[in-house]
Amino acid sequence: MVRRTPQEKKRLSYLKDRRNWYGENDKSSRKNIRLNKRAVNSANRRRPSAGLAVLRGAVEPERATAVAERLAGVRPQSWRKWPDAPLGRFVANRLERRVRLGIVAEADTAPPLARPPRGRPRTWDPGWQPG
């Protein structure tokens, strides 16, 4: 097993780790991917039967060909998954956004976190004194 330096581990993490780029909760994707696939497939199954519903009773040839042409010309619905972004690209985008919004002056001086993590003491602030 190859020993890696912390810098190499960080670089590999930025390359290989992924973050949700679409903007929704990454845990909700487990349900939403299946839901979206079901909705699209259901709509694609429902469309022909809805088009054929107008042909109840005696079928007139002109009307049947018009319905068949209309159904053949409709493109089926589709849905695709969006890939997650590499962590390095995600972090770079966040830093650029902070500069663009005026939260920090330059991307090089941007702090890794805008605020301390919840539930932990603020020991990261050099001017902070306990009590």
Side-chain angles (χ1 to χ4, degrees):
M1 187 164 169
V2 177
R3 238 184 188 174
R4 295 201 165 102
T5 65
Q7 293 82 3
E8 172 118 16
K9 289 180 184 178
K10 186 71 159 187
R11 189 181 67 75
L12 288 174
S13 173
Y14 277 150
L15 288 175
K16 294 184 175 185
D17 292 353
R18 311 292 280 184
R19 286 297 180 272
N20 189 304
W21 194 254
Y22 187 68
E24 68 180 6
N25 185 343
D26 56 339
K27 310 299 186 290
S28 69
S29 296
R30 288 186 289 232
K31 290 187 231 174
N32 289 338
I33 289 171
R34 288 180 288 190
L35 181 70
N36 289 326
K37 288 170 80 172
R38 272 197 311 260
V40 166
N41 290 333
S42 174
N44 289 336
R45 286 191 306 266
R46 189 171 44 245
R47 179 172 287 127
S49 61
L52 294 175
V54 297
L55 294 178
R56 299 275 162 96
V59 179
E60 300 168 6
E62 308 87 36
R63 199 166 178 199
T65 54
V67 169
E69 286 176 5
R70 188 171 54 226
L71 287 176
V74 175
R75 184 174 43 188
Q77 290 184 7
S78 64
W79 180 82
R80 283 187 50 215
K81 294 192 290 186
W82 289 73
D84 290 341
L87 179 61
R89 182 172 156 205
F90 184 82
V91 170
N93 186 298
R94 286 291 174 177
L95 292 176
E96 289 171 10
R97 180 177 178 270
R98 288 178 187 172
V99 170
R100 190 174 62 244
L101 294 177
I103 297 172
V104 294
E106 294 181 19
D108 297 336
T109 61
L113 292 174
R115 58 184 167 83
R118 289 185 180 161
R120 295 184 181 173
R122 294 178 44 170
T123 55
W124 60 274
D125 187 358
W128 182 76
Q129 294 293 322

